[in-house]
Amino acid sequence: MRFVSPTPRRSAAAVHAALSTQVIAVAALVVFEHARGRRLAREISALGGDPHAAGAQAVVGAVTVFAILIMFVTVTAAASAAAYLTWLVQARRSATPPGTGRLPVLAAWLVPGVNLVAPPLLVHRLWWDSRPPADRHGRWVALLAAWWLSWLTTLALVAMRLPFGAAPGDPNLTGLGPVELAAVAISALLCAATVRQITRIQVTGARNRYGTRAGDVAAPAAPAAPQFLGASATAAPTPSSPSVPGLRRRQSQALISSQPPPAVSKRSS
């Protein structure tokens, strides 16, 4: 019985779902920013940061909605990072020999400075270890470079808007707009494309190696029927057939009766 090595299809689906939710969260925050954020920023600036000032109760609802949206963006970003790292670890275990740890993955993404260069190299190595078709190398490198450049652009755009919050005289709450939303959406789309490429290669490779779907268990072969060496071997007795001694007795009688009688010699007169 042979077990097919599992592929990270479920974790890849989790990455796609998390990235989609993150884009929706950022889009909701951008819509709120343009619909209510600028006016809310002016109202908060007029209050001077005093929650007990006159008119403070009028902005409580809008501030609550803004806080919920900020929490939504933060949670979806953390969920996307966790889902992606989980997929990356499982994909490396499927493509590399057993015993591959998660420390290189965490170091590549979490160490400051290293996380600006190492992640695309790690993903490219994973793609190569998954044994892709030889004619896809150029397209893969172009996709990987586009994803990483879009990711760095998104980080730069968001970093220029930090820290969140309305400063005195600032007409915006976060400063996020259509440009930042487009950068987040493009980066998420390209990231999902790289995940799909590697996962598809691993699934196809598992099918080609084992002749079954990844995650399935090959059914054991049915035991072969016993083969008899002699074509004239006697079949085993069944409950409806005569017993073995009776069968042998009948065969002996038939053999005796089939022999010709001995010739009788004539007496000479």
Side-chain angles (χ1 to χ4, degrees):
M1 183 179 296
R2 179 183 298 175
F3 292 90
V4 178
S5 58
T7 54
R9 287 180 297 179
R10 293 184 179 179
S11 55
V15 172
H16 296 161
L19 290 174
S20 301
T21 307
Q22 183 182 5
V23 173
I24 293 174
V26 174
L29 183 60
V30 170
V31 170
F32 179 85
E33 175 78 24
H34 285 266
R36 183 71 173 87
R38 294 182 178 180
R39 182 158 53 93
L40 180 60
R42 291 193 298 267
E43 293 173 352
I44 293 176
S45 179
L47 294 176
D50 185 6
H52 302 289
Q57 295 297 325
V59 299
V60 170
V63 170
T64 302
V65 174
F66 174 71
I68 292 175
L69 289 176
I70 290 294
M71 292 178 60
F72 188 29
V73 171
T74 304
V75 170
T76 54
S80 299
Y84 184 83
L85 291 178
T86 301
W87 168 82
L88 191 57
V89 170
Q90 293 183 1
R92 290 185 77 243
R93 288 177 179 175
S94 299
T96 56
T100 303
R102 65 185 66 182
L103 184 60
V105 175
L106 298 179
W109 281 94
L110 301 180
V111 176
V114 178
N115 54 9
L116 298 178
V117 180
L121 301 179
L122 184 67
V123 175
H124 180 67
R125 181 63 183 179
L126 172 62
W127 180 83
W128 189 261
D129 290 338
S130 299
R131 299 177 180 86
D135 58 344
R136 296 185 183 179
H137 184 264
R139 287 178 292 178
W140 163 254
V141 172
L143 174 62
L144 184 64
W147 164 60
W148 194 244
L149 289 177
S150 66
W151 168 247
L152 294 179
T153 301
T154 302
L155 287 181
L157 291 174
V158 174
M160 288 189 300
R161 303 299 183 181
L162 295 177
F164 290 147
D170 189 358
N172 300 310
L173 289 175
T174 63
L176 297 180
V179 175
E180 290 77 14
L181 176 59
V184 171
I186 293 174
S187 176
L189 182 62
L190 294 176
C191 180
T194 59
V195 171
R196 184 172 59 253
Q197 285 272 354
I198 295 177
T199 304
R200 183 180 301 173
I201 291 172
Q202 292 187 355
V203 171
T204 304
R207 289 176 178 174
N208 293 337
R209 286 193 301 270
Y210 301 113
T212 183
R213 295 182 302 174
D216 293 345
V217 178
Q227 300 293 332
F228 297 99
L229 298 177
S232 61
T234 307
T238 60
S240 59
S241 62
S243 60
V244 174
L247 181 61
R248 291 179 178 176
R249 188 183 306 113
R250 291 186 179 182
Q251 291 178 348
S252 301
Q253 294 176 356
L255 182 61
I256 295 173
S257 60
S258 61
Q259 293 179 356
V264 180
S265 59
K266 295 182 179 181
R267 295 180 179 179
S268 58
S269 56

Short mmCIF file of all heavy atoms in Angstrom, two decimals, residues 21-74:
data_model
loop_
_atom_site.label_atom_id
_atom_site.label_comp_id
_atom_site.label_asym_id
_atom_site.label_seq_id
_atom_site.Cartn_x
_atom_site.Cartn_y
_atom_site.Cartn_z
N THR A 21 -9.93 38.69 1.24
CA THR A 21 -10.52 39.40 2.38
C THR A 21 -9.71 40.64 2.71
O THR A 21 -10.28 41.69 3.08
CB THR A 21 -10.59 38.47 3.60
OG1 THR A 21 -11.25 37.26 3.23
CG2 THR A 21 -11.35 39.12 4.73
N GLN A 22 -8.41 40.56 2.59
CA GLN A 22 -7.57 41.73 2.87
C GLN A 22 -7.85 42.86 1.88
O GLN A 22 -7.93 44.03 2.27
CB GLN A 22 -6.10 41.34 2.81
CG GLN A 22 -5.16 42.48 3.16
CD GLN A 22 -3.70 42.08 3.04
OE1 GLN A 22 -3.39 40.97 2.61
NE2 GLN A 22 -2.81 42.98 3.40
N VAL A 23 -7.98 42.52 0.61
CA VAL A 23 -8.30 43.55 -0.39
C VAL A 23 -9.66 44.18 -0.09
O VAL A 23 -9.83 45.41 -0.21
CB VAL A 23 -8.26 42.94 -1.80
CG1 VAL A 23 -8.75 43.94 -2.84
CG2 VAL A 23 -6.84 42.49 -2.14
N ILE A 24 -10.63 43.38 0.31
CA ILE A 24 -11.95 43.91 0.65
C ILE A 24 -11.86 44.86 1.84
O ILE A 24 -12.50 45.92 1.88
CB ILE A 24 -12.92 42.75 0.93
CG1 ILE A 24 -13.19 41.96 -0.35
CG2 ILE A 24 -14.23 43.27 1.53
CD1 ILE A 24 -14.01 40.71 -0.14
N ALA A 25 -11.06 44.49 2.84
CA ALA A 25 -10.91 45.34 4.03
C ALA A 25 -10.28 46.68 3.66
O ALA A 25 -10.72 47.75 4.13
CB ALA A 25 -10.08 44.62 5.08
N VAL A 26 -9.22 46.65 2.85
CA VAL A 26 -8.58 47.91 2.45
C VAL A 26 -9.53 48.75 1.60
O VAL A 26 -9.59 49.98 1.74
CB VAL A 26 -7.27 47.60 1.69
CG1 VAL A 26 -6.65 48.88 1.14
CG2 VAL A 26 -6.28 46.89 2.60
N ALA A 27 -10.30 48.10 0.72
CA ALA A 27 -11.27 48.84 -0.09
C ALA A 27 -12.33 49.52 0.78
O ALA A 27 -12.70 50.67 0.54
CB ALA A 27 -11.93 47.89 -1.09
N ALA A 28 -12.80 48.81 1.82
CA ALA A 28 -13.78 49.41 2.73
C ALA A 28 -13.20 50.62 3.46
O ALA A 28 -13.87 51.65 3.64
CB ALA A 28 -14.27 48.37 3.73
N LEU A 29 -11.94 50.51 3.87
CA LEU A 29 -11.30 51.64 4.56
C LEU A 29 -11.11 52.83 3.61
O LEU A 29 -11.30 53.99 4.02
CB LEU A 29 -9.95 51.19 5.12
CG LEU A 29 -9.18 52.22 5.94
CD1 LEU A 29 -10.00 52.68 7.15
CD2 LEU A 29 -7.84 51.66 6.39
N VAL A 30 -10.76 52.57 2.36
CA VAL A 30 -10.59 53.65 1.40
C VAL A 30 -11.93 54.34 1.11
O VAL A 30 -12.01 55.59 1.02
CB VAL A 30 -9.96 53.11 0.10
CG1 VAL A 30 -9.99 54.16 -1.01
CG2 VAL A 30 -8.52 52.68 0.37
N VAL A 31 -12.99 53.56 0.99
CA VAL A 31 -14.32 54.14 0.76
C VAL A 31 -14.73 55.01 1.95
O VAL A 31 -15.25 56.13 1.78
CB VAL A 31 -15.35 53.02 0.50
CG1 VAL A 31 -16.77 53.57 0.51
CG2 VAL A 31 -15.06 52.33 -0.82
N PHE A 32 -14.51 54.53 3.16
CA PHE A 32 -14.83 55.33 4.34
C PHE A 32 -13.98 56.60 4.38
O PHE A 32 -14.47 57.68 4.77
CB PHE A 32 -14.61 54.51 5.60
CG PHE A 32 -14.90 55.26 6.86
CD1 PHE A 32 -16.20 55.33 7.36
CD2 PHE A 32 -13.88 55.90 7.57
CE1 PHE A 32 -16.48 56.03 8.53
CE2 PHE A 32 -14.16 56.59 8.73
CZ PHE A 32 -15.46 56.66 9.22
N GLU A 33 -12.72 56.49 4.00
CA GLU A 33 -11.83 57.65 4.01
C GLU A 33 -12.36 58.75 3.10
O GLU A 33 -12.36 59.94 3.48
CB GLU A 33 -10.44 57.22 3.56
CG GLU A 33 -9.44 58.33 3.41
CD GLU A 33 -8.88 58.81 4.73
OE1 GLU A 33 -8.89 58.03 5.69
OE2 GLU A 33 -8.44 59.98 4.81
N HIS A 34 -12.84 58.40 1.93
CA HIS A 34 -13.30 59.41 0.98
C HIS A 34 -14.74 59.84 1.26
O HIS A 34 -15.11 60.96 0.89
CB HIS A 34 -13.18 58.87 -0.45
CG HIS A 34 -11.77 58.85 -0.94
ND1 HIS A 34 -11.22 59.88 -1.68
CD2 HIS A 34 -10.78 57.95 -0.79
CE1 HIS A 34 -9.95 59.60 -1.98
NE2 HIS A 34 -9.67 58.43 -1.45
N ALA A 35 -15.54 59.00 1.89
CA ALA A 35 -16.93 59.36 2.15
C ALA A 35 -17.09 60.15 3.45
O ALA A 35 -17.91 61.09 3.52
CB ALA A 35 -17.79 58.11 2.20
N ARG A 36 -16.31 59.81 4.47
CA ARG A 36 -16.51 60.42 5.79
C ARG A 36 -15.20 60.81 6.46
O ARG A 36 -15.19 61.63 7.39
CB ARG A 36 -17.24 59.41 6.69
CG ARG A 36 -17.61 59.90 8.07
CD ARG A 36 -18.72 60.90 8.02
NE ARG A 36 -19.19 61.25 9.36
CZ ARG A 36 -18.65 62.22 10.12
NH1 ARG A 36 -17.60 62.90 9.68
NH2 ARG A 36 -19.14 62.50 11.32
N GLY A 37 -14.10 60.26 6.00
CA GLY A 37 -12.84 60.41 6.71
C GLY A 37 -12.34 61.84 6.77
O GLY A 37 -11.88 62.30 7.83
N ARG A 38 -12.41 62.58 5.69
CA ARG A 38 -11.87 63.93 5.69
C ARG A 38 -12.67 64.85 6.61
O ARG A 38 -12.09 65.65 7.36
CB ARG A 38 -11.85 64.46 4.26
CG ARG A 38 -10.89 63.72 3.35
CD ARG A 38 -10.85 64.29 1.95
NE ARG A 38 -9.89 63.58 1.12
CZ ARG A 38 -9.65 63.87 -0.17
NH1 ARG A 38 -10.33 64.87 -0.75
NH2 ARG A 38 -8.76 63.18 -0.85
N ARG A 39 -13.97 64.72 6.53
CA ARG A 39 -14.81 65.54 7.43
C ARG A 39 -14.60 65.14 8.88
O ARG A 39 -14.56 66.00 9.77
CB ARG A 39 -16.27 65.40 7.02
CG ARG A 39 -17.23 66.23 7.84
CD ARG A 39 -18.52 66.45 7.06
NE ARG A 39 -19.08 65.19 6.59
CZ ARG A 39 -20.01 64.49 7.27
NH1 ARG A 39 -20.42 64.92 8.45
NH2 ARG A 39 -20.47 63.37 6.76
N LEU A 40 -14.46 63.83 9.12
CA LEU A 40 -14.21 63.37 10.47
C LEU A 40 -12.86 63.87 10.98
O LEU A 40 -12.73 64.23 12.16
CB LEU A 40 -14.27 61.84 10.52
CG LEU A 40 -14.02 61.18 11.87
CD1 LEU A 40 -15.06 61.63 12.89
CD2 LEU A 40 -14.02 59.67 11.74
N ALA A 41 -11.87 63.90 10.12
CA ALA A 41 -10.56 64.41 10.53
C ALA A 41 -10.65 65.87 10.93
O ALA A 41 -10.01 66.30 11.92
CB ALA A 41 -9.56 64.22 9.39
N ARG A 42 -11.42 66.68 10.21
CA ARG A 42 -11.58 68.09 10.57
C ARG A 42 -12.32 68.23 11.89
O ARG A 42 -11.97 69.08 12.73
CB ARG A 42 -12.32 68.84 9.45
CG ARG A 42 -11.50 68.98 8.17
CD ARG A 42 -12.15 69.99 7.24
NE ARG A 42 -13.47 69.56 6.83
CZ ARG A 42 -13.71 68.86 5.71
NH1 ARG A 42 -12.68 68.50 4.92
NH2 ARG A 42 -14.94 68.51 5.39
N GLU A 43 -13.33 67.40 12.12
CA GLU A 43 -14.08 67.47 13.37
C GLU A 43 -13.21 67.08 14.56
O GLU A 43 -13.27 67.72 15.63
CB GLU A 43 -15.31 66.57 13.28
CG GLU A 43 -16.34 67.05 12.26
CD GLU A 43 -17.47 66.04 12.09
OE1 GLU A 43 -17.36 64.92 12.64
OE2 GLU A 43 -18.44 66.35 11.38
N ILE A 44 -12.41 66.04 14.41
CA ILE A 44 -11.53 65.63 15.50
C ILE A 44 -10.48 66.70 15.76
O ILE A 44 -10.13 66.98 16.92
CB ILE A 44 -10.86 64.28 15.14
CG1 ILE A 44 -11.90 63.17 15.10
CG2 ILE A 44 -9.78 63.93 16.16
CD1 ILE A 44 -11.35 61.82 14.66
N SER A 45 -9.98 67.33 14.70
CA SER A 45 -9.00 68.40 14.87
C SER A 45 -9.61 69.59 15.60
O SER A 45 -8.94 70.23 16.42
CB SER A 45 -8.46 68.83 13.50
OG SER A 45 -7.53 69.88 13.65
N ALA A 46 -10.90 69.89 15.33
CA ALA A 46 -11.57 71.00 16.02
C ALA A 46 -11.79 70.70 17.49
O ALA A 46 -11.79 71.62 18.33
CB ALA A 46 -12.90 71.30 15.34
N LEU A 47 -11.96 69.44 17.84
CA LEU A 47 -12.16 69.08 19.25
C LEU A 47 -10.86 69.19 20.05
O LEU A 47 -10.91 69.22 21.29
CB LEU A 47 -12.71 67.65 19.36
CG LEU A 47 -14.12 67.43 18.80
CD1 LEU A 47 -14.49 65.96 18.87
CD2 LEU A 47 -15.14 68.27 19.57
N GLY A 48 -9.73 69.19 19.38
CA GLY A 48 -8.46 69.29 20.08
C GLY A 48 -8.09 68.06 20.88
O GLY A 48 -7.28 68.14 21.81
N GLY A 49 -8.68 66.92 20.55
CA GLY A 49 -8.37 65.69 21.26
C GLY A 49 -9.07 65.56 22.59
O GLY A 49 -8.74 64.63 23.36
N ASP A 50 -10.01 66.44 22.91
CA ASP A 50 -10.73 66.38 24.19
C ASP A 50 -12.01 65.58 24.00
O ASP A 50 -12.93 66.04 23.30
CB ASP A 50 -11.06 67.78 24.69
CG ASP A 50 -11.69 67.77 26.08
OD1 ASP A 50 -11.75 66.68 26.69
OD2 ASP A 50 -12.13 68.85 26.54
N PRO A 51 -12.13 64.38 24.60
CA PRO A 51 -13.35 63.59 24.41
C PRO A 51 -14.57 64.18 25.12
O PRO A 51 -15.69 63.76 24.85
CB PRO A 51 -12.98 62.22 25.01
CG PRO A 51 -11.91 62.53 26.00
CD PRO A 51 -11.16 63.69 25.45
N HIS A 52 -14.37 65.15 26.01
CA HIS A 52 -15.49 65.74 26.74
C HIS A 52 -15.87 67.11 26.19
O HIS A 52 -16.73 67.79 26.77
CB HIS A 52 -15.12 65.90 28.22
CG HIS A 52 -14.75 64.61 28.88
ND1 HIS A 52 -15.65 63.61 29.17
CD2 HIS A 52 -13.52 64.14 29.29
CE1 HIS A 52 -15.04 62.59 29.75
NE2 HIS A 52 -13.74 62.89 29.83
N ALA A 53 -15.29 67.48 25.10
CA ALA A 53 -15.61 68.78 24.51
C ALA A 53 -16.99 68.73 23.87
O ALA A 53 -17.55 67.66 23.58
CB ALA A 53 -14.55 69.16 23.48
N ALA A 54 -17.56 69.91 23.67
CA ALA A 54 -18.88 70.00 23.04
C ALA A 54 -18.80 69.49 21.60
O ALA A 54 -17.91 69.86 20.84
CB ALA A 54 -19.35 71.46 23.06
N GLY A 55 -19.73 68.64 21.25
CA GLY A 55 -19.76 68.05 19.92
C GLY A 55 -18.99 66.76 19.81
O GLY A 55 -18.93 66.17 18.71
N ALA A 56 -18.39 66.30 20.91
CA ALA A 56 -17.63 65.06 20.85
C ALA A 56 -18.53 63.85 20.64
O ALA A 56 -18.15 62.88 19.97
CB ALA A 56 -16.82 64.88 22.13
N GLN A 57 -19.75 63.92 21.22
CA GLN A 57 -20.67 62.79 21.06
C GLN A 57 -21.14 62.63 19.63
O GLN A 57 -21.56 61.55 19.22
CB GLN A 57 -21.87 62.98 21.99
CG GLN A 57 -21.52 62.93 23.47
CD GLN A 57 -20.98 61.59 23.88
OE1 GLN A 57 -21.40 60.55 23.36
NE2 GLN A 57 -20.03 61.58 24.82
N ALA A 58 -21.08 63.70 18.85
CA ALA A 58 -21.56 63.62 17.47
C ALA A 58 -20.65 62.81 16.57
O ALA A 58 -21.08 62.34 15.50
CB ALA A 58 -21.73 65.03 16.91
N VAL A 59 -19.41 62.64 16.99
CA VAL A 59 -18.47 61.92 16.13
C VAL A 59 -18.16 60.53 16.68
O VAL A 59 -17.31 59.84 16.12
CB VAL A 59 -17.16 62.72 15.98
CG1 VAL A 59 -17.44 64.07 15.33
CG2 VAL A 59 -16.47 62.89 17.32
N VAL A 60 -18.83 60.12 17.77
CA VAL A 60 -18.53 58.81 18.37
C VAL A 60 -18.83 57.69 17.39
O VAL A 60 -18.03 56.74 17.23
CB VAL A 60 -19.31 58.64 19.68
CG1 VAL A 60 -19.18 57.20 20.19
CG2 VAL A 60 -18.80 59.61 20.73
N GLY A 61 -19.96 57.76 16.71
CA GLY A 61 -20.32 56.68 15.78
C GLY A 61 -19.33 56.54 14.64
O GLY A 61 -18.90 55.43 14.30
N ALA A 62 -18.93 57.67 14.04
CA ALA A 62 -17.97 57.62 12.94
C ALA A 62 -16.61 57.13 13.40
O ALA A 62 -15.94 56.37 12.69
CB ALA A 62 -17.86 59.00 12.30
N VAL A 63 -16.20 57.55 14.60
CA VAL A 63 -14.92 57.09 15.13
C VAL A 63 -14.95 55.58 15.39
O VAL A 63 -13.96 54.87 15.15
CB VAL A 63 -14.56 57.87 16.41
CG1 VAL A 63 -13.34 57.24 17.09
CG2 VAL A 63 -14.28 59.33 16.08
N THR A 64 -16.09 55.09 15.87
CA THR A 64 -16.21 53.64 16.12
C THR A 64 -16.10 52.86 14.81
O THR A 64 -15.42 51.83 14.75
CB THR A 64 -17.54 53.35 16.81
OG1 THR A 64 -17.62 54.09 18.03
CG2 THR A 64 -17.68 51.87 17.11
N VAL A 65 -16.78 53.35 13.76
CA VAL A 65 -16.70 52.67 12.47
C VAL A 65 -15.27 52.69 11.94
O VAL A 65 -14.77 51.68 11.43
CB VAL A 65 -17.66 53.33 11.46
CG1 VAL A 65 -17.47 52.74 10.06
CG2 VAL A 65 -19.10 53.15 11.91
N PHE A 66 -14.60 53.81 12.11
CA PHE A 66 -13.21 53.91 11.66
C PHE A 66 -12.31 52.94 12.42
O PHE A 66 -11.45 52.27 11.83
CB PHE A 66 -12.72 55.35 11.84
CG PHE A 66 -11.26 55.52 11.55
CD1 PHE A 66 -10.78 55.45 10.26
CD2 PHE A 66 -10.36 55.77 12.59
CE1 PHE A 66 -9.43 55.60 9.98
CE2 PHE A 66 -9.01 55.91 12.32
CZ PHE A 66 -8.54 55.83 11.02
N ALA A 67 -12.52 52.83 13.73
CA ALA A 67 -11.71 51.90 14.52
C ALA A 67 -11.97 50.45 14.11
O ALA A 67 -11.03 49.63 14.04
CB ALA A 67 -12.02 52.09 16.01
N ILE A 68 -13.22 50.11 13.82
CA ILE A 68 -13.53 48.75 13.38
C ILE A 68 -12.86 48.44 12.05
O ILE A 68 -12.32 47.35 11.85
CB ILE A 68 -15.06 48.57 13.29
CG1 ILE A 68 -15.68 48.61 14.69
CG2 ILE A 68 -15.41 47.25 12.60
CD1 ILE A 68 -17.19 48.56 14.70
N LEU A 69 -12.87 49.42 11.14
CA LEU A 69 -12.23 49.20 9.84
C LEU A 69 -10.71 49.03 9.99
O LEU A 69 -10.10 48.20 9.31
CB LEU A 69 -12.54 50.36 8.91
CG LEU A 69 -14.00 50.44 8.41
CD1 LEU A 69 -14.21 51.70 7.58
CD2 LEU A 69 -14.37 49.20 7.62
N ILE A 70 -10.11 49.81 10.88
CA ILE A 70 -8.67 49.67 11.11
C ILE A 70 -8.37 48.28 11.66
O ILE A 70 -7.41 47.60 11.24
CB ILE A 70 -8.17 50.76 12.06
CG1 ILE A 70 -8.19 52.11 11.36
CG2 ILE A 70 -6.76 50.44 12.56
CD1 ILE A 70 -7.20 52.22 10.21
N MET A 71 -9.19 47.81 12.61
CA MET A 71 -9.00 46.47 13.16
C MET A 71 -9.21 45.41 12.08
O MET A 71 -8.47 44.41 12.03
CB MET A 71 -9.96 46.24 14.32
CG MET A 71 -9.66 47.07 15.56
SD MET A 71 -10.87 46.80 16.87
CE MET A 71 -10.66 45.05 17.14
N PHE A 72 -10.19 45.62 11.20
CA PHE A 72 -10.45 44.67 10.13
C PHE A 72 -9.25 44.56 9.19
O PHE A 72 -8.83 43.46 8.80
CB PHE A 72 -11.70 45.12 9.37
CG PHE A 72 -12.19 44.13 8.35
CD1 PHE A 72 -11.98 42.76 8.50
CD2 PHE A 72 -12.87 44.57 7.22
CE1 PHE A 72 -12.44 41.86 7.56
CE2 PHE A 72 -13.33 43.67 6.28
CZ PHE A 72 -13.11 42.32 6.45
N VAL A 73 -8.67 45.69 8.83
CA VAL A 73 -7.49 45.67 7.95
C VAL A 73 -6.32 44.99 8.64
O VAL A 73 -5.60 44.18 8.03
CB VAL A 73 -7.12 47.11 7.55
CG1 VAL A 73 -5.78 47.14 6.82
CG2 VAL A 73 -8.20 47.71 6.66
N THR A 74 -6.12 45.27 9.93
CA THR A 74 -5.01 44.67 10.66
C THR A 74 -5.17 43.16 10.78
O THR A 74 -4.21 42.39 10.55
CB THR A 74 -4.90 45.29 12.05
OG1 THR A 74 -4.77 46.72 11.93
CG2 THR A 74 -3.71 44.73 12.81
#
